[in-house]
């Protein structure tokens, strides 16, 4: 566990104000991912990355875990990023589990983001950010379903939401 302090330096962050500009405490937004820290830990271990970052003065901030995952995927040059959650994927109507959006483009997601609320909003924003950073596809899957990852990646229909870069 000697790497615990090192992994805290994974993200350079800045304080994130609330949408109205008010201070919401020690909540940060990622400015930069320190890929070298991740690669150093990954040389000997499977990295487990906490969604905590520090600003230029060393103050720690909580970072949204979806934002962190998308930022790491983009910075590491990942081919895909996959978010496991407790819903089927992106639902057109969050109250209707049968309204799954099976596929979308980053442009479609960006247009929808201002109207979205709840936990799917940061996941979708992280997907778009990762795609803009070069990731080829982002998937949102129901982690409660056995073999959901295999069903999404190795079947023609898939079971979750796949988001790809806009053409």
């Amino acid at each position: 566990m000697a790497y615990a302090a090192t992994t805290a330096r994974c993200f350079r962050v800045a304080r994130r104000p609330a949408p109205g500009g008010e201070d919401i405490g020690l909540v940060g937004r990622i400015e930069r991912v320190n890929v070298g820290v991740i690669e150093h830990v990954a040389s000997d271990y499977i990295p487990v990355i906490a969604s905590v970052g520090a600003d230029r003065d060393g103050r720690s901030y909580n970072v949204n875990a979806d934002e962190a995952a998308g930022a790491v995927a983009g910075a590491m040059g990942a081919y895909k990023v996959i978010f496991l959650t407790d819903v089927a994927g992106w639902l057109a109507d969050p109250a209707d589990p049968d309204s799954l959006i099976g596929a979308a483009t980053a442009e479609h997601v960006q247009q929808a983001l201002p109207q979205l609320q709840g936990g799917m909003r940061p996941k979708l924003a992280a997907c778009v950010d990762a795609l803009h950073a070069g990731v080829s596809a982002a998937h949102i899957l129901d982690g409660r379903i056995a073999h959901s990852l295999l069903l999404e990646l190795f079947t023609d229909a898939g079971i979750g939401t796949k988001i790809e870069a806009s053409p």
Side-chain angles (χ1 to χ4, degrees):
M1 298 312 148
Y3 290 110
T6 306
T7 59
R9 297 186 188 130
C10 239
F11 305 112
R12 164 76 53 81
V13 301
R15 185 180 291 260
R16 178 187 300 264
E22 61 271 9
D23 183 9
I24 53 175
L26 297 174
V27 176
R29 66 174 166 70
I30 297 172
E31 293 182 324
R32 182 176 57 85
V33 176
N34 188 342
V35 173
V37 169
I38 299 169
E39 289 173 341
H40 176 71
V41 173
S43 68
D44 293 317
Y45 302 98
I46 296 172
V48 176
I49 302 170
S51 56
V52 175
D55 66 10
R56 294 180 189 277
D57 297 322
R59 284 184 298 261
S60 294
Y61 292 86
N62 180 47
V63 175
N64 178 281
D66 297 317
E67 178 186 356
V72 168
M76 297 293 296
Y79 179 68
K80 292 184 182 250
V81 62
I82 299 168
F83 295 87
L84 295 178
T85 187
D86 62 353
V87 294
W90 181 22
L91 303 176
D93 176 1
D96 180 5
D98 293 327
S99 66
L100 177 69
I101 298 171
T105 64
E107 182 179 341
H108 177 214
V109 174
Q110 282 182 292
Q111 291 171 354
L113 279 174
Q115 290 79 38
L116 296 176
Q117 296 180 358
M120 191 56 62
R121 187 180 199 293
K123 280 178 187 44
L124 289 167
C127 289
V128 169
D129 290 345
L131 293 169
H132 286 163
V135 175
S136 70
H139 300 261
I140 301 172
L141 308 177
D142 189 340
R144 302 170 300 175
I145 296 175
H147 313 294
S148 60
L149 182 61
L150 296 174
L151 292 168
E152 176 69 9
L153 298 179
F154 297 112
T155 64
D156 291 334
I159 63 164
T161 300
K162 180 180 182 180
I163 303 164
E164 295 182 289
S166 302

